Amino acid sequence: MIDKRHKTLGEFIIENQSSFQYSSGELSKLINAIRLAAKVVNHEVNKAGLVDILGGVGETNIQGERQQKLDVFANEKFIQTLKNREIVCGIASEEEDDFISINSSDEQHQNKYVVLIDPLDGSSNIDVNVSVGTIFSIYRRITPVGTPVQLEDFLQPGKNQVAAGYIVYGTSTMLVYTTGFGVNGFTLNPALGTFYLSHPNMQFPENGKIYSVNEGNYVHFLQGVKDYIKYCQEEEGDRPYTSRYIGSLVSDFHRNMIKGGIYMYPKSSVNENGKLRLLYECNPMAFIAEQANGLASGGRHRILDIEPTELHQRVPFFCGSKNMVEKLQEFLDKHYYGK
Ligand code: AHM
Ligand code: MG
């Protein structure tokens, strides 16, 4: 029996479209396409454990289908869905070296949105049955509609985002997104193939007790980060905090948003700019975080203010509950500026 109180994602999109003045419905169609691709990828990710039965990567399965790596599959699925529906003028993917320009068959390049996507983040976790995710980000193009998209349409600061979201393929599959009016989470009912609004108006608690960082890299971190980690571990007030690190950004972020916490991927003496990609990972997560009353910093600057210089640019990333990020920032400022 479906609980009548829970709206479906489809209903939610329609309802919210009418609240955007002058909306052409393009963004709604775009979110709908992402919803569809997410369901297809979810179906495939769920079969990952059946590799021995269905055939491994590179083998041909019983239906004569060639098995693909899941991140390649997810990449193709999202790109194909967005192309087929003719609702974007360009796509940039973490899996592709360059951006893709899309021609609409009726009228050339009439669409105004570009999508940036990390199709399957944390995919090294798939073999061990740990949650992975898809991250997406949507911008209005800068160059004129009707002309091919250019690199500058993708290299926009995160504060220009029109929408961003993620899908977490976890114990249940959820799609969480924002269009700049708060953050809403939808849970997939796999039997019906329908997403239901399960987490309306998601908010980071202002304070948290979880810190998430790959502590194996500790010796390579800046002194400010090391000091903050020690602060988290000290016995005082509500500390020590709890350390939780899945190594799957979407899952770590999702947990921290619900329970209160901070996620950190600092730069180190081995990774000069950290590991995470500004356009595909940090910007969308930062937009969601700010919309959910959290904060996201690159160490010195707000993530959403960074002017990107290249598609696959990496930046240090600190994101989560407001008071925790502010506290970390104090330690970093002391290190950077001797404050
Ligand atoms: P990926 O884009 O190659 O999947 O890498 C991104 C992932 C994040 O999901 C995760 O938070 C991080 O890499 C983990 O990195 P590490 O193993 O260095 O801690
Ligand atoms: Mg990634």
Side-chain angles (χ1 to χ4, degrees):
M1 183 72 175
I2 302 163
D3 188 338
K4 282 269 185 272
R5 286 170 306 165
H6 288 293
K7 232 174 258 170
T8 69
L9 174 55
E11 288 163 357
F12 184 88
I13 291 171
I14 292 168
E15 236 171 63
N16 281 277
Q17 190 202 316
S18 51
S19 62
F20 288 122
Q21 232 186 340
Y22 313 119
S23 159
S24 61
E26 215 173 307
L27 183 61
S28 303
K29 286 190 200 135
L30 183 41
I31 309 259
N32 259 321
I34 289 171
R35 169 183 71 157
L36 175 67
K39 285 197 262 188
V40 177
V41 171
N42 174 64
H43 184 68
E44 210 60 24
V45 167
N46 271 302
K47 291 195 302 196
L50 293 169
V51 150
D52 288 343
I53 298 162
L54 301 175
V57 170
E59 291 170 21
T60 305
N61 71 13
I62 206 150
Q63 287 89 28
E65 296 160 339
R66 194 129 180 98
Q67 294 297 289
Q68 283 178 314
K69 277 187 75 180
L70 277 169
D71 40 10
V72 178
F73 175 87
N75 187 45
E76 284 178 7
K77 227 9 105 185
F78 276 100
I79 292 175
Q80 204 182 70
T81 310
L82 293 169
K83 271 186 175 172
N84 287 352
R85 295 200 162 194
E86 299 187 344
I87 35 163
V88 288
C89 52
I91 305 169
S93 163
E94 202 197 91
E95 294 283 331
E96 306 278 338
D97 290 339
D98 211 347
F99 65 85
I100 303 166
S101 178
I102 296 173
N103 302 338
S104 161
S105 59
D106 314 327
E107 298 154 87
Q108 292 264 308
H109 312 287
Q110 282 311 305
N111 295 313
K112 60 175 176 286
Y113 293 115
V114 294
V115 171
L116 291 89
I117 191 156
D118 183 352
L120 210 56
D121 184 67
S123 50
S124 61
N125 282 313
I126 286 181
D127 291 344
V128 289
N129 212 351
V130 168
S131 303
V132 289
T134 296
I135 309 170
F136 63 91
S137 167
I138 301 171
Y139 295 81
R140 220 170 264 116
R141 65 182 300 175
I142 299 173
T143 54
V145 171
T147 61
V149 278
Q150 305 293 331
L151 184 60
E152 65 200 88
D153 292 316
F154 299 93
L155 296 186
Q156 299 190 49
K159 63 184 172 203
N160 289 4
Q161 284 171 103
V162 172
Y166 61 79
I167 297 118
V168 54
Y169 309 98
T171 38
S172 53
T173 293
M174 278 191 73
L175 191 155
V176 174
Y177 81 103
T178 179
T179 52
F181 300 94
V183 178
N184 291 286
F186 301 81
T187 303
L188 181 68
N189 178 335
L192 303 175
T194 306
F195 282 102
Y196 289 95
L197 178 60
S198 51
H199 296 62
N201 193 22
M202 295 179 86
Q203 301 259 321
F204 270 94
E206 286 211 344
N207 295 302
K209 291 195 66 174
I210 298 172
Y211 70 101
S212 312
V213 63
N214 186 342
E215 277 185 81
N217 297 329
Y218 182 87
V219 291
H220 301 293
F221 292 155
L222 291 177
Q223 196 53 46
V225 176
K226 285 182 178 170
D227 291 347
Y228 178 70
I229 293 174
K230 283 293 157 223
Y231 166 87
C232 292
Q233 296 169 344
E234 265 166 29
E235 200 144 354
E236 203 180 325
D238 63 346
R239 287 170 288 141
Y241 297 153
T242 299
S243 164
R244 289 282 182 273
Y245 188 70
I246 300 169
S248 196
L249 172 62
V250 171
S251 313
D252 279 309
F253 178 99
H254 188 73
R255 181 206 49 242
N256 289 354
M257 179 159 63
I258 291 173
K259 296 198 163 180
I262 184 169
Y263 175 95
M264 302 183 273
Y265 210 108
K267 71 174 185 179
S268 68
S269 47
V270 270
N271 283 334
E272 209 193 321
N273 297 309
K275 176 184 183 188
L276 301 182
R277 319 273 182 150
L278 174 61
L279 297 184
Y280 311 108
E281 292 160 334
C282 305
N283 270 338
M285 293 320 233
F287 186 31
I288 298 166
E290 288 198 5
Q291 283 295 317
N293 198 34
L295 287 177
S297 164
R300 288 176 191 244
H301 310 282
R302 176 183 177 227
I303 287 287
L304 296 181
D305 285 335
I306 300 174
E307 293 284 344
T309 51
E310 51 183 299
L311 279 179
H312 295 279
Q313 186 174 347
R314 297 173 197 268
V315 290
F317 189 56
F318 306 95
C319 176
S321 290
K322 205 162 172 250
N323 292 344
M324 294 183 93
V325 178
E326 276 171 358
K327 190 73 197 172
L328 163 81
Q329 198 67 55
E330 278 176 31
F331 282 94
L332 294 180
D333 288 350
K334 208 181 286 172
H335 169 81
Y336 282 127
Y337 313 111
K339 275 195 217 164

